[in-house]
Amino acid sequence: SPEALDAVVGDLYRDVSNVIDCRQCANCCKTYDIAVDQADAQRLAAGMKLEVDEFKKKYLKNADEGEGFYFKSKPCPLLKDDSCTQYENRPKVCREFPHLDKPSFLSRTLDVIQNCSVCPIVFNVWEQLKVQGQSLERGIAMEPTLVPSSPNSSNQIEWILKSFEFFDGVYKRDAVEAAVHLKEEITPHLLGILEDVIRNPEKYADENLQCQSPFYAAMLLSFFKEEKAHPLFLKAFGLPGELSSKIFGDLVTGELPVFLYRTCSGNIKGIQELVLNQQAYSYCRSSAGMALVYCVAGGFADREDILKFFSGLFSIETGSSDDDFLSFIACSMEDLYPDTAMDVIESGYEKGLICPGIIGKKNFIRTIESGSPESSLEKVRVQLRRQMHESIHDYMEWWACFNEKKCPSRPPGSLPEAPHSPVLADFPHTVLQASSLNSQSCDRGRINPWTILGLGSGYFPSIFSNFFQVT
Protein backbone atom coordinates (compact mmCIF):
# COMPACT_ATOMS: atom_id res chain seq x y z
CA SER A 1 0.00 0.00 0.00
CA PRO A 2 1.12 3.64 -0.32
CA GLU A 3 1.19 3.78 3.46
CA ALA A 4 3.56 0.79 3.58
CA LEU A 5 5.84 2.51 1.09
CA ASP A 6 5.80 5.69 3.18
CA ALA A 7 6.79 3.64 6.24
CA VAL A 8 9.68 1.98 4.40
CA VAL A 9 10.96 5.32 3.10
CA GLY A 10 10.65 6.85 6.57
CA ASP A 11 12.69 4.06 8.13
CA LEU A 12 15.38 4.34 5.45
CA TYR A 13 15.46 8.12 5.87
CA ARG A 14 16.06 7.82 9.60
CA ASP A 15 18.78 5.20 9.10
CA VAL A 16 20.66 7.22 6.49
CA SER A 17 20.21 10.52 8.35
CA ASN A 18 21.86 8.99 11.40
CA VAL A 19 24.99 8.44 9.32
CA ILE A 20 25.16 11.48 7.04
CA ASP A 21 25.49 14.90 8.64
CA CYS A 22 23.78 17.19 6.13
CA ARG A 23 25.58 20.16 7.68
CA GLN A 24 28.83 18.80 6.20
CA CYS A 25 27.36 18.80 2.69
CA ALA A 26 25.39 22.00 1.99
CA ASN A 27 24.66 21.04 -1.63
CA CYS A 28 21.01 22.07 -1.23
CA CYS A 29 22.11 25.49 0.06
CA LYS A 30 24.31 25.94 -3.02
CA THR A 31 21.87 24.61 -5.60
CA TYR A 32 18.28 25.56 -4.91
CA ASP A 33 16.36 28.84 -4.94
CA ILE A 34 15.33 28.95 -1.28
CA ALA A 35 11.80 30.12 -0.51
CA VAL A 36 11.28 32.41 2.48
CA ASP A 37 7.87 33.29 3.93
CA GLN A 38 6.98 36.16 6.25
CA ALA A 39 7.49 34.11 9.40
CA ASP A 40 10.90 32.99 8.15
CA ALA A 41 11.89 36.58 7.39
CA GLN A 42 10.90 37.75 10.86
CA ARG A 43 12.76 34.89 12.56
CA LEU A 44 15.90 35.34 10.48
CA ALA A 45 15.91 39.13 10.93
CA ALA A 46 15.65 38.73 14.69
CA GLY A 47 18.48 36.19 14.67
CA MET A 48 20.67 38.59 12.70
CA LYS A 49 19.61 41.60 14.81
CA LEU A 50 18.15 43.39 11.79
CA GLU A 51 14.84 45.09 11.14
CA VAL A 52 12.61 42.89 8.97
CA ASP A 53 12.47 45.44 6.16
CA GLU A 54 16.24 45.84 6.28
CA PHE A 55 16.70 42.07 6.09
CA LYS A 56 14.31 41.79 3.12
CA LYS A 57 16.00 44.62 1.25
CA LYS A 58 19.46 43.15 1.74
CA TYR A 59 18.79 39.45 1.13
CA LEU A 60 15.39 38.78 -0.48
CA LYS A 61 13.54 39.22 -3.75
CA ASN A 62 9.83 38.83 -4.39
CA ALA A 63 8.58 35.53 -5.74
CA ASP A 64 7.72 35.62 -9.45
CA GLU A 65 4.31 34.15 -8.73
CA GLY A 66 2.19 34.33 -5.59
CA GLU A 67 3.28 35.61 -2.24
CA GLY A 68 6.57 35.12 -0.45
CA PHE A 69 10.20 35.69 -1.22
CA TYR A 70 13.39 33.99 -2.34
CA PHE A 71 16.99 34.72 -1.47
CA LYS A 72 18.54 36.94 -4.09
CA SER A 73 21.63 34.82 -4.65
CA LYS A 74 22.92 31.28 -4.86
CA PRO A 75 24.59 29.81 -2.88
CA CYS A 76 22.44 30.96 0.04
CA PRO A 77 23.93 34.18 1.46
CA LEU A 78 23.65 32.72 4.97
CA LEU A 79 26.05 29.92 4.07
CA LYS A 80 29.62 30.19 5.32
CA ASP A 81 32.25 27.43 5.06
CA ASP A 82 29.49 24.97 4.13
CA SER A 83 27.59 25.74 7.35
CA CYS A 84 24.40 27.73 7.86
CA THR A 85 25.09 30.78 10.01
CA GLN A 86 21.40 30.88 11.00
CA TYR A 87 20.76 27.15 11.33
CA GLU A 88 18.42 27.47 14.31
CA ASN A 89 16.43 30.15 12.47
CA ARG A 90 16.56 28.60 8.97
CA PRO A 91 13.48 28.84 6.70
CA LYS A 92 10.69 26.30 6.90
CA VAL A 93 11.57 24.80 3.51
CA CYS A 94 15.10 24.12 4.76
CA ARG A 95 13.78 22.48 7.92
CA GLU A 96 11.55 20.14 5.91
CA PHE A 97 14.07 19.22 3.21
CA PRO A 98 14.50 16.56 1.84
CA HIS A 99 10.81 15.79 2.55
CA LEU A 100 11.30 12.04 2.92
CA ASP A 101 9.32 11.84 6.15
CA LYS A 102 6.17 13.26 4.56
CA PRO A 103 3.23 11.09 3.46
CA SER A 104 2.38 10.30 -0.18
CA PHE A 105 5.95 9.51 -1.25
CA LEU A 106 4.70 7.89 -4.46
CA SER A 107 3.14 11.15 -5.66
CA ARG A 108 6.48 12.95 -5.25
CA THR A 109 8.86 10.49 -6.91
CA LEU A 110 9.87 12.80 -9.76
CA ASP A 111 10.89 15.44 -7.21
CA VAL A 112 12.80 12.76 -5.33
CA ILE A 113 14.65 11.76 -8.49
CA GLN A 114 15.66 15.38 -9.07
CA ASN A 115 16.87 15.63 -5.47
CA CYS A 116 19.04 12.53 -5.95
CA SER A 117 21.51 14.64 -7.92
CA VAL A 118 21.83 17.13 -5.06
CA CYS A 119 21.32 15.41 -1.72
CA PRO A 120 23.38 12.37 -0.63
CA ILE A 121 20.67 11.42 1.87
CA VAL A 122 18.04 11.23 -0.88
CA PHE A 123 20.43 9.38 -3.16
CA ASN A 124 21.24 6.73 -0.57
CA VAL A 125 17.60 6.29 0.45
CA TRP A 126 16.69 5.87 -3.23
CA GLU A 127 19.44 3.29 -3.76
CA GLN A 128 18.37 1.34 -0.66
CA LEU A 129 14.76 1.50 -1.83
CA LYS A 130 15.75 0.04 -5.19
CA VAL A 131 17.53 -2.83 -3.47
CA GLN A 132 14.51 -3.58 -1.28
CA GLY A 133 12.14 -3.41 -4.25
CA GLN A 134 14.30 -5.74 -6.30
CA SER A 135 14.71 -8.09 -3.33
CA LEU A 136 10.95 -8.37 -2.94
CA GLU A 137 10.70 -9.08 -6.66
CA ARG A 138 13.26 -11.89 -6.26
CA GLY A 139 11.54 -13.15 -3.13
CA ILE A 140 14.56 -12.32 -0.98
CA ALA A 141 14.05 -10.81 2.45
CA MET A 142 16.79 -8.23 2.93
CA GLU A 143 18.09 -8.07 6.48
CA PRO A 144 20.34 -5.39 7.94
CA THR A 145 24.02 -6.20 7.46
CA LEU A 146 25.34 -6.46 11.00
CA VAL A 147 28.94 -6.70 12.10
CA PRO A 148 29.72 -9.77 14.23
CA SER A 149 29.85 -8.99 17.93
CA SER A 150 33.44 -10.19 18.27
CA PRO A 151 36.48 -9.77 16.00
CA ASN A 152 37.12 -13.51 16.46
CA SER A 153 33.55 -14.54 15.83
CA SER A 154 33.21 -17.48 13.46
CA ASN A 155 30.50 -15.65 11.51
CA GLN A 156 32.73 -12.73 10.53
CA ILE A 157 33.55 -14.35 7.17
CA GLU A 158 29.83 -14.81 6.59
CA TRP A 159 29.25 -11.13 7.36
CA ILE A 160 31.96 -10.04 4.90
CA LEU A 161 30.58 -12.20 2.09
CA LYS A 162 27.03 -11.06 2.79
CA SER A 163 28.18 -7.44 2.67
CA PHE A 164 29.66 -8.03 -0.78
CA GLU A 165 26.68 -9.86 -2.20
CA PHE A 166 24.35 -7.26 -3.73
CA PHE A 167 24.82 -3.75 -5.07
CA ASP A 168 23.24 -1.08 -2.88
CA GLY A 169 25.26 1.99 -3.85
CA VAL A 170 27.53 1.85 -0.79
CA TYR A 171 31.22 0.93 -0.83
CA LYS A 172 31.73 -1.78 1.80
CA ARG A 173 34.83 -0.24 3.28
CA ASP A 174 34.63 -1.94 6.67
CA ALA A 175 33.97 -5.34 5.12
CA VAL A 176 36.92 -4.86 2.75
CA GLU A 177 39.15 -3.88 5.64
CA ALA A 178 38.03 -6.92 7.61
CA ALA A 179 38.72 -9.11 4.57
CA VAL A 180 42.29 -7.78 4.39
CA HIS A 181 42.82 -8.60 8.06
CA LEU A 182 41.43 -12.10 7.45
CA LYS A 183 43.33 -12.62 4.21
CA GLU A 184 44.16 -16.30 4.75
CA GLU A 185 40.65 -17.19 5.89
CA ILE A 186 38.76 -15.21 3.26
CA THR A 187 40.85 -16.13 0.21
CA PRO A 188 39.31 -19.60 -0.37
CA HIS A 189 35.85 -18.01 -0.28
CA LEU A 190 36.85 -15.32 -2.78
CA LEU A 191 38.29 -17.98 -5.08
CA GLY A 192 35.00 -19.85 -4.68
CA ILE A 193 33.10 -16.81 -5.95
CA LEU A 194 35.16 -16.76 -9.16
CA GLU A 195 34.72 -20.52 -9.54
CA ASP A 196 30.96 -20.06 -9.26
CA VAL A 197 31.08 -17.27 -11.86
CA ILE A 198 32.79 -19.68 -14.25
CA ARG A 199 30.23 -22.44 -13.53
CA ASN A 200 27.16 -20.19 -13.63
CA PRO A 201 27.99 -17.08 -15.68
CA GLU A 202 24.39 -16.42 -16.72
CA LYS A 203 23.35 -16.05 -13.07
CA TYR A 204 25.90 -13.31 -12.44
CA ALA A 205 25.15 -11.64 -15.79
CA ASP A 206 21.47 -11.25 -14.81
CA GLU A 207 20.67 -7.52 -14.70
CA ASN A 208 18.01 -8.04 -12.03
CA LEU A 209 20.37 -9.81 -9.64
CA GLN A 210 22.87 -6.92 -9.44
CA CYS A 211 25.39 -9.15 -7.70
CA GLN A 212 28.60 -7.34 -6.76
CA SER A 213 30.51 -10.21 -5.15
CA PRO A 214 32.60 -10.86 -8.32
CA PHE A 215 33.82 -7.24 -8.20
CA TYR A 216 34.98 -7.45 -4.61
CA ALA A 217 36.43 -10.94 -5.05
CA ALA A 218 38.44 -9.92 -8.12
CA MET A 219 39.76 -6.70 -6.60
CA LEU A 220 40.77 -8.33 -3.32
CA LEU A 221 42.43 -11.36 -4.94
CA SER A 222 44.40 -9.05 -7.20
CA PHE A 223 45.42 -6.93 -4.23
CA PHE A 224 46.52 -10.10 -2.42
CA LYS A 225 48.53 -11.11 -5.53
CA GLU A 226 46.90 -14.51 -5.17
CA GLU A 227 48.47 -16.94 -7.68
CA LYS A 228 45.50 -19.32 -7.48
CA ALA A 229 43.29 -16.54 -8.81
CA HIS A 230 45.24 -16.26 -12.07
CA PRO A 231 43.75 -19.28 -13.91
CA LEU A 232 40.31 -18.28 -12.63
CA PHE A 233 40.74 -14.76 -14.00
CA LEU A 234 41.72 -16.23 -17.35
CA LYS A 235 38.61 -18.41 -17.44
CA ALA A 236 36.18 -15.81 -16.07
CA PHE A 237 37.36 -13.09 -18.44
CA GLY A 238 37.63 -15.62 -21.26
CA LEU A 239 33.93 -16.48 -21.18
CA PRO A 240 32.35 -16.38 -24.65
CA GLY A 241 30.75 -13.27 -26.06
CA GLU A 242 29.97 -10.38 -23.75
CA LEU A 243 29.32 -12.45 -20.63
CA SER A 244 32.45 -11.19 -18.90
CA SER A 245 31.45 -7.60 -19.61
CA LYS A 246 27.97 -8.14 -18.19
CA ILE A 247 29.44 -9.69 -15.06
CA PHE A 248 32.46 -7.48 -14.41
CA GLY A 249 31.50 -4.27 -16.23
CA ASP A 250 34.25 -1.67 -16.48
CA LEU A 251 36.77 -3.89 -14.71
CA VAL A 252 37.26 -5.47 -18.16
CA THR A 253 38.87 -2.33 -19.56
CA GLY A 254 40.02 -0.78 -16.30
CA GLU A 255 41.65 -3.26 -13.93
CA LEU A 256 41.94 -6.54 -15.84
CA PRO A 257 45.52 -5.85 -17.05
CA VAL A 258 46.57 -5.29 -13.43
CA PHE A 259 44.69 -8.40 -12.26
CA LEU A 260 46.59 -10.57 -14.73
CA TYR A 261 49.95 -8.94 -14.06
CA ARG A 262 49.72 -9.12 -10.27
CA THR A 263 48.71 -12.78 -10.17
CA CYS A 264 50.73 -14.35 -13.01
CA SER A 265 53.97 -14.91 -10.99
CA GLY A 266 56.00 -14.38 -14.15
CA ASN A 267 54.12 -16.98 -16.22
CA ILE A 268 52.68 -15.24 -19.29
CA LYS A 269 51.46 -18.30 -21.20
CA GLY A 270 47.86 -18.06 -19.97
CA ILE A 271 47.72 -14.34 -20.75
CA GLN A 272 48.88 -15.02 -24.30
CA GLU A 273 46.21 -17.71 -24.65
CA LEU A 274 43.53 -15.21 -23.60
CA VAL A 275 44.80 -12.75 -26.22
CA LEU A 276 44.47 -15.53 -28.83
CA ASN A 277 41.01 -16.66 -27.67
CA GLN A 278 38.72 -15.41 -30.42
CA GLN A 279 35.63 -16.59 -28.54
CA ALA A 280 36.35 -14.21 -25.67
CA TYR A 281 35.11 -10.63 -25.50
CA SER A 282 37.44 -8.50 -27.62
CA TYR A 283 38.04 -5.96 -24.83
CA CYS A 284 39.13 -8.76 -22.47
CA ARG A 285 41.58 -9.87 -25.15
CA SER A 286 43.00 -6.38 -25.65
CA SER A 287 43.27 -5.91 -21.87
CA ALA A 288 45.25 -9.15 -21.76
CA GLY A 289 47.51 -7.56 -24.38
CA MET A 290 48.07 -4.62 -22.05
CA ALA A 291 48.88 -7.09 -19.27
CA LEU A 292 51.69 -8.43 -21.48
CA VAL A 293 53.03 -4.89 -21.78
CA TYR A 294 53.04 -4.66 -17.99
CA CYS A 295 54.86 -8.02 -17.85
CA VAL A 296 57.58 -6.62 -20.11
CA ALA A 297 57.90 -3.50 -17.94
CA GLY A 298 58.00 -5.68 -14.83
CA GLY A 299 60.71 -7.95 -16.18
CA PHE A 300 58.50 -11.01 -16.71
CA ALA A 301 58.76 -11.00 -20.52
CA ASP A 302 61.11 -9.88 -23.28
CA ARG A 303 60.10 -6.82 -25.27
CA GLU A 304 61.10 -8.29 -28.65
CA ASP A 305 59.24 -11.53 -27.96
CA ILE A 306 56.02 -9.71 -27.12
CA LEU A 307 56.34 -7.44 -30.16
CA LYS A 308 56.69 -10.55 -32.34
CA PHE A 309 53.67 -12.10 -30.62
CA PHE A 310 51.59 -8.96 -31.26
CA SER A 311 52.80 -8.77 -34.88
CA GLY A 312 51.67 -12.32 -35.48
CA LEU A 313 48.10 -11.40 -34.53
CA PHE A 314 47.80 -9.28 -37.68
CA SER A 315 48.18 -12.38 -39.83
CA ILE A 316 45.53 -14.45 -38.04
CA GLU A 317 42.91 -11.81 -37.17
CA THR A 318 40.47 -10.70 -39.86
CA GLY A 319 39.41 -7.48 -38.13
CA SER A 320 36.03 -5.81 -38.62
CA SER A 321 34.44 -2.39 -38.44
CA ASP A 322 32.83 -3.17 -35.07
CA ASP A 323 35.85 -4.85 -33.49
CA ASP A 324 38.78 -2.64 -32.52
CA PHE A 325 40.85 -5.47 -31.06
CA LEU A 326 43.81 -4.99 -33.40
CA SER A 327 43.69 -1.23 -32.92
CA PHE A 328 44.18 -1.69 -29.18
CA ILE A 329 46.89 -4.27 -29.80
CA ALA A 330 48.59 -1.58 -31.91
CA CYS A 331 48.34 0.75 -28.88
CA SER A 332 50.13 -1.88 -26.80
CA MET A 333 52.81 -2.17 -29.46
CA GLU A 334 53.33 1.58 -29.41
CA ASP A 335 53.81 1.35 -25.62
CA LEU A 336 56.71 -1.07 -26.20
CA TYR A 337 58.60 1.13 -28.72
CA PRO A 338 57.77 -0.82 -31.92
CA ASP A 339 60.98 -0.14 -33.84
CA THR A 340 61.09 -3.71 -35.19
CA ALA A 341 57.38 -3.88 -36.01
CA MET A 342 56.77 -0.80 -38.12
CA ASP A 343 56.24 -2.84 -41.29
CA VAL A 344 53.38 -4.66 -39.58
CA ILE A 345 51.96 -1.37 -38.34
CA GLU A 346 52.08 0.20 -41.81
CA SER A 347 50.39 -2.85 -43.30
CA GLY A 348 47.74 -2.73 -40.59
CA TYR A 349 46.77 0.80 -41.55
CA GLU A 350 46.75 -0.05 -45.27
CA LYS A 351 44.44 -3.04 -44.71
CA GLY A 352 42.13 -1.09 -42.43
CA LEU A 353 42.96 -3.27 -39.42
CA ILE A 354 44.04 -0.31 -37.29
CA CYS A 355 41.61 2.54 -36.71
CA PRO A 356 43.35 5.96 -36.98
CA GLY A 357 40.73 7.34 -34.59
CA ILE A 358 42.06 5.09 -31.84
CA ILE A 359 45.75 5.53 -32.57
CA GLY A 360 47.21 7.48 -35.49
CA LYS A 361 50.41 6.89 -37.42
CA LYS A 362 51.84 10.06 -35.91
CA ASN A 363 51.87 8.40 -32.51
CA PHE A 364 54.23 5.71 -33.77
CA ILE A 365 56.44 8.17 -35.63
CA ARG A 366 56.71 10.42 -32.57
CA THR A 367 57.54 7.47 -30.31
CA ILE A 368 60.27 6.17 -32.63
CA GLU A 369 61.82 9.56 -33.31
CA SER A 370 61.81 10.99 -29.79
CA GLY A 371 62.03 7.93 -27.56
CA SER A 372 63.82 4.68 -26.92
CA PRO A 373 62.87 1.21 -25.68
CA GLU A 374 63.86 2.10 -22.13
CA SER A 375 62.05 5.46 -22.08
CA SER A 376 58.90 3.80 -23.40
CA LEU A 377 59.07 1.09 -20.75
CA GLU A 378 59.64 3.68 -18.03
CA LYS A 379 56.38 5.38 -19.06
CA VAL A 380 54.64 2.02 -18.72
CA ARG A 381 56.20 1.52 -15.27
CA VAL A 382 54.91 4.92 -14.17
CA GLN A 383 51.44 3.98 -15.38
CA LEU A 384 51.67 0.63 -13.63
CA ARG A 385 52.77 2.20 -10.34
CA ARG A 386 49.75 4.47 -10.43
CA GLN A 387 47.52 1.41 -10.50
CA MET A 388 49.45 -0.59 -7.89
CA HIS A 389 48.10 1.19 -4.81
CA GLU A 390 49.40 0.30 -1.39
CA SER A 391 45.99 0.98 0.14
CA ILE A 392 43.19 -1.40 -0.82
CA HIS A 393 40.72 1.47 -0.51
CA ASP A 394 42.71 3.66 -2.91
CA TYR A 395 42.85 0.64 -5.20
CA MET A 396 39.07 0.28 -5.22
CA GLU A 397 37.71 3.80 -4.80
CA TRP A 398 37.65 4.58 -8.52
CA TRP A 399 34.49 2.50 -8.75
CA ALA A 400 33.37 2.94 -5.19
CA CYS A 401 33.04 6.64 -5.96
CA PHE A 402 32.63 7.84 -2.41
CA ASN A 403 34.61 10.46 -0.54
CA GLU A 404 35.77 8.54 2.51
CA LYS A 405 37.19 11.66 4.21
CA LYS A 406 33.79 12.56 5.56
CA CYS A 407 32.83 9.04 6.54
CA PRO A 408 32.17 8.80 10.29
CA SER A 409 35.33 7.74 12.08
CA ARG A 410 35.65 5.06 14.73
CA PRO A 411 38.16 4.66 17.58
CA PRO A 412 41.48 3.09 16.56
CA GLY A 413 41.54 -0.65 17.12
CA SER A 414 37.78 -0.95 17.52
CA LEU A 415 35.68 -3.48 15.66
CA PRO A 416 34.61 -2.25 12.20
CA GLU A 417 31.09 -0.87 12.19
CA ALA A 418 28.40 -1.86 9.76
CA PRO A 419 28.95 -0.22 6.37
CA HIS A 420 27.91 3.44 6.25
CA SER A 421 27.03 5.82 3.46
CA PRO A 422 29.40 8.79 3.77
CA VAL A 423 28.65 12.31 2.73
CA LEU A 424 29.49 12.62 -0.94
CA ALA A 425 31.76 15.35 -2.24
CA ASP A 426 30.85 17.23 -5.42
CA PHE A 427 27.65 15.21 -5.39
CA PRO A 428 26.09 15.92 -8.81
CA HIS A 429 29.17 14.43 -10.50
CA THR A 430 29.40 11.60 -7.99
CA VAL A 431 25.92 10.37 -8.90
CA LEU A 432 27.08 9.56 -12.41
CA GLN A 433 30.18 7.77 -11.11
CA ALA A 434 28.31 5.86 -8.46
CA SER A 435 25.70 4.64 -10.92
CA SER A 436 28.45 3.28 -13.14
CA LEU A 437 29.25 0.90 -10.33
CA ASN A 438 26.02 -0.82 -11.29
CA SER A 439 27.35 -1.47 -14.77
CA GLN A 440 24.72 -4.04 -15.63
CA SER A 441 21.95 -1.42 -15.67
CA CYS A 442 23.77 1.25 -17.65
CA ASP A 443 23.44 1.47 -21.41
CA ARG A 444 27.03 1.80 -22.58
CA GLY A 445 27.67 5.00 -24.46
CA ARG A 446 24.19 6.37 -23.81
CA ILE A 447 23.08 8.27 -20.72
CA ASN A 448 19.51 9.16 -19.78
CA PRO A 449 17.97 10.26 -16.46
CA TRP A 450 16.82 6.75 -15.60
CA THR A 451 20.12 4.99 -16.21
CA ILE A 452 21.93 7.73 -14.26
CA LEU A 453 19.91 6.57 -11.25
CA GLY A 454 20.48 2.92 -12.08
CA LEU A 455 17.03 2.32 -13.55
CA GLY A 456 16.61 0.18 -16.63
CA SER A 457 13.92 0.60 -19.26
CA GLY A 458 10.48 0.23 -17.71
CA TYR A 459 11.94 -0.09 -14.22
CA PHE A 460 10.42 3.06 -12.73
CA PRO A 461 6.93 1.62 -12.14
CA SER A 462 8.13 -1.82 -11.02
CA ILE A 463 10.43 -0.53 -8.28
CA PHE A 464 7.35 0.47 -6.31
CA SER A 465 4.86 -2.17 -7.43
CA ASN A 466 6.41 -4.70 -5.06
CA PHE A 467 5.57 -2.55 -2.06
CA PHE A 468 1.85 -2.68 -2.84
CA GLN A 469 1.88 -6.36 -1.93
CA VAL A 470 2.91 -5.43 1.61
CA THR A 471 0.12 -5.33 4.14
Side-chain angles (χ1 to χ4, degrees):
S1 68
E3 292 76 16
L5 179 59
D6 289 344
V8 170
V9 172
D11 289 341
L12 291 174
Y13 174 51
R14 284 185 287 275
D15 290 343
V16 174
S17 297
N18 286 334
V19 174
I20 297 178
D21 184 355
C22 66
R23 290 172 295 183
Q24 294 184 21
C25 171
N27 276 350
C28 55
C29 310
K30 301 170 187 176
T31 305
Y32 290 124
D33 290 314
I34 300 172
V36 179
D37 61 22
Q38 182 64 29
D40 294 330
Q42 292 173 342
R43 188 172 59 254
L44 286 165
M48 299 174 71
K49 296 181 171 50
L50 296 174
E51 295 294 329
V52 174
D53 289 342
E54 182 183 0
F55 173 80
K56 289 180 180 179
K57 182 177 180 180
K58 185 173 182 179
Y59 293 108
L60 303 182
K61 62 181 179 180
N62 291 324
D64 293 334
E65 297 181 4
E67 299 179 354
F69 311 92
Y70 287 92
F71 282 114
K72 291 180 179 179
S73 60
K74 289 189 294 186
C76 174
L78 306 183
L79 189 67
K80 183 178 180 181
D81 297 329
D82 285 349
S83 294
C84 179
T85 57
Q86 291 294 315
Y87 187 76
E88 297 302 323
N89 302 313
R90 65 195 185 280
K92 178 183 177 183
V93 69
C94 300
R95 295 170 183 270
E96 295 179 350
F97 188 83
H99 315 295
L100 294 177
D101 55 351
K102 292 182 178 180
S104 303
F105 175 85
L106 190 61
S107 67
R108 296 181 284 106
T109 48
L110 291 179
D111 289 336
V112 173
I113 290 170
Q114 288 180 323
N115 290 340
C116 278
S117 66
V118 175
C119 177
I121 293 177
V122 178
F123 174 77
N124 281 282
V125 168
W126 181 264
E127 291 296 309
Q128 293 285 348
L129 187 62
K130 284 161 49 184
V131 171
Q132 293 205 17
Q134 292 159 0
S135 301
L136 287 172
E137 188 175 1
R138 295 194 302 266
I140 299 174
M142 294 295 288
E143 300 176 355
T145 305
L146 301 177
V147 180
S149 58
S150 166
N152 299 317
S153 174
S154 60
N155 66 348
Q156 192 167 25
I157 294 293
E158 181 181 352
W159 164 68
I160 294 170
L161 297 175
K162 187 175 179 64
S163 298
F164 291 165
E165 192 170 8
F166 294 111
F167 169 76
D168 63 2
V170 180
Y171 170 46
K172 308 302 183 183
R173 182 186 183 96
D174 292 322
V176 168
E177 198 161 318
V180 172
H181 291 144
L182 294 172
K183 174 183 173 182
E184 299 301 324
E185 295 89 341
I186 196 74
T187 292
H189 297 276
L190 301 177
L191 293 170
I193 291 172
L194 293 186
E195 290 169 350
D196 195 47
V197 167
I198 295 165
R199 286 193 300 266
N200 305 292
E202 289 80 8
K203 179 182 78 172
Y204 290 92
D206 185 349
E207 292 183 3
N208 294 319
L209 185 62
Q210 294 189 317
C211 183
Q212 292 295 289
S213 54
F215 284 80
Y216 284 101
M219 297 295 282
L220 281 163
L221 289 168
S222 171
F223 186 77
F224 295 160
K225 299 182 181 180
E226 176 55 52
E227 295 179 20
K228 292 179 181 178
H230 190 69
L232 300 178
F233 282 149
L234 294 171
K235 290 179 181 178
F237 288 95
L239 291 167
E242 297 187 12
L243 275 172
S244 55
S245 177
K246 292 179 180 179
I247 296 168
F248 293 100
D250 290 341
L251 295 186
V252 166
T253 53
E255 296 294 329
L256 178 55
V258 178
F259 291 172
L260 298 177
Y261 172 76
R262 289 177 73 108
T263 59
C264 74
S265 298
N267 186 348
I268 67 170
K269 181 180 178 181
I271 303 176
Q272 289 177 309
E273 290 175 352
L274 178 54
V275 174
L276 292 168
N277 182 2
Q278 296 187 9
Q279 301 303 311
Y281 188 45
S282 63
Y283 289 105
C284 290
R285 299 176 65 201
S286 57
S287 286
M290 190 63 214
L292 290 175
V293 174
Y294 287 164
C295 286
V296 173
F300 294 157
D302 180 75
R303 184 183 72 91
E304 286 291 341
D305 289 345
I306 299 303
L307 280 174
K308 288 178 182 177
F309 174 75
F310 286 154
S311 296
L313 297 174
F314 285 82
S315 62
I316 60 177
E317 297 281 337
T318 57
S320 66
S321 59
D322 60 347
D323 185 349
D324 296 317
F325 169 67
L326 288 177
S327 297
F328 288 114
I329 290 297
C331 293
S332 293
M333 296 173 76
E334 191 265 338
D335 287 332
L336 292 177
Y337 191 82
D339 53 336
T340 59
M342 287 306 296
D343 289 345
V344 174
I345 298 297
E346 290 284 354
S347 175
Y349 281 111
E350 291 173 3
K351 295 178 180 179
L353 300 176
I354 303 175
C355 174
I358 293 177
I359 183 168
K361 287 185 181 181
K362 291 182 179 179
N363 294 73
F364 291 95
I365 295 171
R366 183 167 56 248
T367 296
I368 297 299
E369 290 180 349
S370 62
S372 66
E374 184 53 37
S375 65
S376 291
L377 290 180
E378 183 55 32
K379 290 180 182 178
V380 174
R381 294 185 189 107
V382 170
Q383 177 182 344
L384 184 56
R385 283 195 292 270
R386 283 201 299 266
Q387 295 188 270
M388 300 277 281
H389 301 289
E390 293 183 7
S391 164
I392 182 64
H393 304 300
D394 290 344
Y395 190 46
M396 298 176 77
E397 72 176 354
W398 71 271
W399 59 269
C401 306
F402 291 97
N403 181 350
E404 298 292 341
K405 293 179 181 179
K406 293 185 178 180
C407 188
S409 60
R410 59 178 185 272
S414 65
L415 180 69
E417 301 167 358
H420 291 322
S421 305
V423 174
L424 304 184
D426 198 16
F427 195 75
H429 301 288
T430 310
V431 172
L432 286 171
Q433 296 174 7
S435 67
S436 70
L437 201 163
N438 178 18
S439 59
Q440 295 97 331
S441 64
C442 295
D443 296 326
R444 299 183 187 287
R446 300 183 298 278
I447 294 178
N448 61 61
W450 302 110
T451 55
I452 286 174
L453 294 172
L455 303 178
S457 175
Y459 187 77
F460 174 63
S462 67
I463 185 175
F464 301 114
S465 62
N466 297 298
F467 287 99
F468 293 101
Q469 303 170 16
V470 180
T471 58

